[in-house]
Amino acid sequence: MQRLSGLDASFLYLETPTQPMHVCGILELDTTTIPGGYSFEKLRTKLAERVEGIPSFKEKLADSRLNLDHPVWVDDDDFDIDRHLHHVGLPSPGGKAEIADMCGHIASLPLDRARPLWEMWVIETGATGGGTRLVVMTKMHHASVDGVTGANLMSTLCALEPDAEAPEPTSGVGGANSIEIAVTGALKWASRPLKFAKLLPATIGVIPAWLERSKRGEAMSAPFSAPRTSFNSTITSRRNVGYAQLDLEDVRAVKNHFGVKVNDVVMAICAGALRKYLDDRGELPDNSLVAMVPVSVHEKSDRPGRNQVSGMFSRLETNVDDPVTRLQAIAAANNIAKDHTAVLGATLLQDWSQFAAPAVFGTAMRVYSRIRLADRHPVIHNLVVSNVPGPQVPLYFLGAQVIGMYPLGPIFHGAALTVTVMSLDGKLNVGLISCPDLMPDLFTLTDDFGVALQELKDRI
């Protein structure tokens, strides 16, 4: 068995019927590259072979009523790939809107916690260009992956050649009975007071240090300082998605011309799209929107767990009209936020999450949702923006060339928009997910990403 870290387990405790905590991905595939042609049965066989070499795809949650610590991962001895792989079809030709509607519906469905926490949906959309146009949507619980580990898993499922061999079968984490889970959990729980005593002094100084940095203009945006928009409210269980593809060379040209980083350009594109979207509706706030940006600490953390992330609050400078001035302001704000995050420490979030109590945490989240508390307190942040680097070479998913890979993170009460960007083989793939009860016209925002990039290109 392998015990979940506090941060991994927190995504279980955060989950409610209206706030599922899985991450998704939409893969657009060219089936003409599959040796011998495409069939669902052939794809199923190849997937089953690859899953044998990826143990996490065959691991499920286990717990004990006597367990005082977080749940554990164990091997699923009854694993059946047909419980995870689903096959659906759209009327031909299925367009982008129809695909997005189907993916939004799939994203709204919770995962079955009694089985390994992943699903894959093969969506056939009709014949085109001599083959079957195919979209595959993946779902994995955030308790098992973050952006980096999720991208690594997808890289393992994919290959550099269409006829690549599957990885060798690999053993998993093993099993455990209720007594083992409870005893080892009790030992972990007994060590918490010592960990708390070590962590508290390091944390007490955070607030005065934050205030001092603020006086010097060297602090990132504080939580609860974001302006309210129409998508900063209590979410329902429904989801809608949008996706767009941009030219990575155009992004790099902007980066090089203005002397900023790729991530600065990505956030400036996001800011430009959001500014236009809100302004067209007469909803643009006077103050800048604030994004919560996950930061990978895989290279900096020695803590256990599959989620190795911290986070920073970054201003999107949506109150700035000129796109170049906005880009430069975002770059400056990001530098401040990165320096501030480094001072806070790479493992602070992971360390505090170890103390998350499932009963208390879970009950609090259900009450929070039921009384719509997100509508009443100041907005923590407006949205999540995540940038996941990918390989700049062609990838093949079970033989089919990947022509688009669009990641989708979860959304939260009070922040009903997540934008996730992934670079792959010369393209910048943008995935958006929201709640249609708050953002019914998500594809309008999606289309504005290309407009925002063009604004910056025109100034080169």
Side-chain angles (χ1 to χ4, degrees), residues 57-61 73 76 78-80 83-84 111-118:
F57 276 75
K58 299 176 67 177
E59 296 166 4
K60 65 179 182 179
L61 293 170
W73 297 109
D76 182 5
D78 298 319
F79 176 79
D80 182 351
R83 292 170 175 160
H84 301 269
L111 291 165
D112 183 356
R113 290 200 184 184
R115 308 192 188 285
L117 294 178
W118 69 276

Side-chain angles (χ1 to χ4, degrees), residues 279-361:
D279 197 29
D280 287 347
R281 286 153 186 74
E283 300 177 15
L284 183 64
D286 293 333
N287 296 329
S288 172
L289 298 188
V290 176
M292 200 289 286
V293 181
V295 177
S296 172
V297 295
H298 279 266
E299 304 299 324
K300 302 174 182 177
S301 171
D302 59 355
R303 306 302 194 262
R306 302 182 183 186
N307 282 270
Q308 298 284 336
V309 293
S310 182
M312 66 184 191
F313 295 96
S314 293
R315 289 173 55 89
L316 291 180
E317 307 296 350
T318 49
N319 56 324
V320 177
D321 180 55
D322 182 71
V324 173
T325 306
R326 189 187 313 130
L327 169 62
Q328 293 168 337
I330 286 172
N334 281 345
N335 287 335
I336 289 173
K338 289 173 186 174
D339 290 343
H340 193 174
T341 302
V343 171
L344 293 177
T347 62
L348 187 64
L349 176 62
Q350 293 171 289
D351 291 340
W352 272 111
S353 64
Q354 287 299 124
F355 302 101
V360 175
F361 215 80

Side-chain angles (χ1 to χ4, degrees), residues 21-356:
M21 285 288 108
H22 47 249
V23 295
C24 304
I26 299 173
L27 281 72
E28 288 185 312
L29 304 175
D30 177 6
T31 60
T32 61
T33 63
I34 297 177
Y38 163 77
S39 72
F40 174 76
E41 291 72 21
K42 182 186 293 185
L43 185 145
R44 179 199 174 281
T45 299
K46 287 189 174 183
L47 178 63
E49 291 172 351
R50 287 202 167 269
V51 164
E52 290 299 318
I54 310 175
S56 58
F57 276 75
K58 299 176 67 177
E59 296 166 4
K60 65 179 182 179
L61 293 170
D63 207 348
S64 166
R65 291 185 178 182
L66 301 176
N67 180 29
L68 298 174
D69 201 63
H70 306 302
V72 301
W73 297 109
V74 297
D75 291 336
D76 182 5
D77 296 329
D78 298 319
F79 176 79
D80 182 351
I81 197 166
D82 291 323
R83 292 170 175 160
H84 301 269
L85 181 63
H86 308 285
H87 185 200
V88 295
L90 294 176
S92 180
K96 193 172 184 179
E98 289 76 19
I99 294 170
D101 286 344
M102 174 63 74
C103 292
H105 172 68
I106 293 170
S108 70
L109 304 175
L111 291 165
D112 183 356
R113 290 200 184 184
R115 308 192 188 285
L117 294 178
W118 69 276
E119 288 179 348
M120 192 173 291
W121 293 72
V122 177
I123 307 170
E124 294 183 3
T125 63
T128 179
T132 301
R133 186 179 175 199
L134 203 65
V135 170
V136 172
M137 185 168 184
T138 61
K139 288 171 61 177
M140 296 194 73
H141 203 284
H142 216 323
S144 62
V145 292
D146 62 12
V148 172
T149 52
N152 289 341
L153 280 175
M154 289 307 300
S155 296
T156 308
L157 278 179
C158 296
L160 299 179
E161 301 292 339
D163 54 354
E165 295 292 327
E168 291 294 321
T170 307
S171 58
V173 294
N177 58 44
S178 296
I179 299 300
E180 289 176 294
I181 296 172
V183 170
T184 54
L187 294 175
K188 294 275 289 184
W189 184 81
S191 67
R192 286 189 180 184
L194 179 59
K195 292 179 179 177
F196 182 81
K198 291 181 178 179
L199 183 58
L200 189 59
T203 308
I204 288 176
V206 166
I207 294 178
W210 196 315
L211 294 174
E212 183 60 32
R213 291 183 70 92
S214 295
K215 292 178 183 178
R216 302 195 306 267
E218 298 174 357
M220 63 181 167
S221 295
F224 298 100
S225 64
R228 187 171 295 279
T229 73
S230 55
F231 51 84
N232 298 126
S233 186
T234 301
I235 59 178
T236 70
S237 61
R238 300 201 303 153
R239 298 292 179 269
N240 55 350
V241 306
Y243 53 96
Q245 193 170 69
L246 307 176
D247 194 323
L248 186 58
E249 282 307 308
D250 289 342
V251 174
R252 287 173 172 162
V254 173
K255 171 192 81 80
N256 293 335
H257 183 81
F258 293 107
V260 295
K261 298 180 175 64
V262 167
N263 192 57
D264 299 328
V265 181
V266 167
M267 293 187 67
I269 294 170
C270 182
L274 279 164
R275 178 183 166 85
K276 183 176 185 303
Y277 175 86
L278 292 170
D279 197 29
D280 287 347
R281 286 153 186 74
E283 300 177 15
L284 183 64
D286 293 333
N287 296 329
S288 172
L289 298 188
V290 176
M292 200 289 286
V293 181
V295 177
S296 172
V297 295
H298 279 266
E299 304 299 324
K300 302 174 182 177
S301 171
D302 59 355
R303 306 302 194 262
R306 302 182 183 186
N307 282 270
Q308 298 284 336
V309 293
S310 182
M312 66 184 191
F313 295 96
S314 293
R315 289 173 55 89
L316 291 180
E317 307 296 350
T318 49
N319 56 324
V320 177
D321 180 55
D322 182 71
V324 173
T325 306
R326 189 187 313 130
L327 169 62
Q328 293 168 337
I330 286 172
N334 281 345
N335 287 335
I336 289 173
K338 289 173 186 174
D339 290 343
H340 193 174
T341 302
V343 171
L344 293 177
T347 62
L348 187 64
L349 176 62
Q350 293 171 289
D351 291 340
W352 272 111
S353 64
Q354 287 299 124
F355 302 101

Side-chain angles (χ1 to χ4, degrees), residues 321-457:
D321 180 55
D322 182 71
V324 173
T325 306
R326 189 187 313 130
L327 169 62
Q328 293 168 337
I330 286 172
N334 281 345
N335 287 335
I336 289 173
K338 289 173 186 174
D339 290 343
H340 193 174
T341 302
V343 171
L344 293 177
T347 62
L348 187 64
L349 176 62
Q350 293 171 289
D351 291 340
W352 272 111
S353 64
Q354 287 299 124
F355 302 101
V360 175
F361 215 80
T363 301
M365 282 309 305
R366 288 190 292 273
V367 171
Y368 184 89
S369 172
R370 190 178 307 120
I371 67 175
R372 301 180 64 90
L373 193 57
D375 301 347
R376 307 183 187 193
H377 63 66
V379 177
I380 302 173
H381 59 270
N382 296 107
L383 70 156
V384 175
V385 178
S386 182
N387 185 7
V388 181
Q392 297 309 306
V393 294
L395 289 182
Y396 296 85
F397 177 81
L398 307 177
Q401 184 171 358
V402 179
I403 55 178
M405 184 182 292
Y406 309 94
L408 304 167
I411 59 174
F412 304 86
H413 291 299
L417 177 63
T418 292
V419 179
T420 312
V421 175
M422 183 176 190
S423 55
L424 176 66
D425 191 23
K427 300 295 182 182
L428 194 71
N429 300 300
V430 183
L432 295 90
I433 185 166
S434 186
C435 170
D437 297 285
L438 300 180
M439 296 188 77
D441 50 353
L442 186 61
F443 254 110
T444 303
L445 172 60
T446 307
D447 293 340
D448 288 339
F449 274 73
V451 176
L453 175 57
Q454 188 62 47
E455 284 183 336
L456 292 167
K457 282 179 58 185

